[in-house]
Amino acid sequence: MIRRFGAVLCLLLMSACTSTEPSSSAPASPTAPADQNAAVACANVARLIQEQDVRVNTNSMVVARAVRAADPGVKEAGQRLAVVWKEAGDLWVKNDPGVDLGPVNARMAEAQRGLLSACTALFGAQPWSFDKRPSPTSRN
């Protein structure tokens, strides 16, 4: 498990540093933004915040997409989230029952909110037309 976590972390950090994907020059439509990495990261981090989910495994996709975003604000917030995600992952791998996860969970939640702020700066206020999650008011 430690090797798997290390490999995933290494791949994430390498993709953040060596991304050679050209940003799409196609204009963004209301339902399909040009920056798909940012859109996926934003939709997922909004869901995680709504569910108050700070677990390492559920944040991995958000980190992976955010660090590859073309938008510099989303990318920078994703990199901050990646640092906290690695710290939380290290604690998770150690599996020490005596470790207080409260501080790292608080930093994870703060980093998630920072990413959501970058998403709001990029895409505007929620709900986003590309976000396929049902709105909380539509659930009965």
Side-chain angles (χ1 to χ4, degrees), residues 51-73:
E51 296 171 359
Q52 299 179 350
D53 187 345
V54 293
R55 293 174 295 166
V56 172
N57 57 341
T58 55
N59 277 277
S60 61
M61 180 201 247
V62 173
V63 169
R65 289 302 197 118
V67 298
R68 291 184 298 190
D71 180 74

Side-chain angles (χ1 to χ4, degrees), residues 1 5 8-9 12 15 31 40 43 51-52 56 63 72 77 81 84 90 95 97-98 105 109 114 116 122:
M1 182 182 321
F5 179 75
V8 168
L9 178 62
L12 283 172
S15 71
T31 56
V40 170
E51 296 171 359
Q52 299 179 350
V56 172
V63 169
L81 180 59
V84 178
D90 290 346
N95 199 23
N105 287 345
L116 187 61
L122 177 62

Side-chain angles (χ1 to χ4, degrees), residues 79-133:
Q79 289 168 340
R80 285 192 303 268
L81 180 59
V83 170
V84 178
W85 176 79
K86 184 206 177 297
E87 180 183 346
D90 290 346
L91 290 176
W92 180 66
V93 168
K94 287 180 185 175
N95 199 23
D96 182 357
V99 172
D100 179 14
L101 296 176
V104 76
N105 287 345
R107 286 192 297 280
M108 182 78 79
E110 182 180 338
Q112 286 175 336
R113 288 189 303 272
L115 178 55
L116 187 61
S117 292
C119 293
T120 302
L122 177 62
F123 296 120
Q126 290 178 291
W128 300 307
S129 58
F130 58 84
D131 189 356
K132 303 301 182 209
R133 292 177 304 128

Side-chain angles (χ1 to χ4, degrees), residues 45-53 133-136 139:
V45 79
R47 179 186 52 80
L48 292 177
I49 290 171
Q50 181 181 12
E51 296 171 359
Q52 299 179 350
D53 187 345
R133 292 177 304 128
S135 69
R139 294 180 190 162

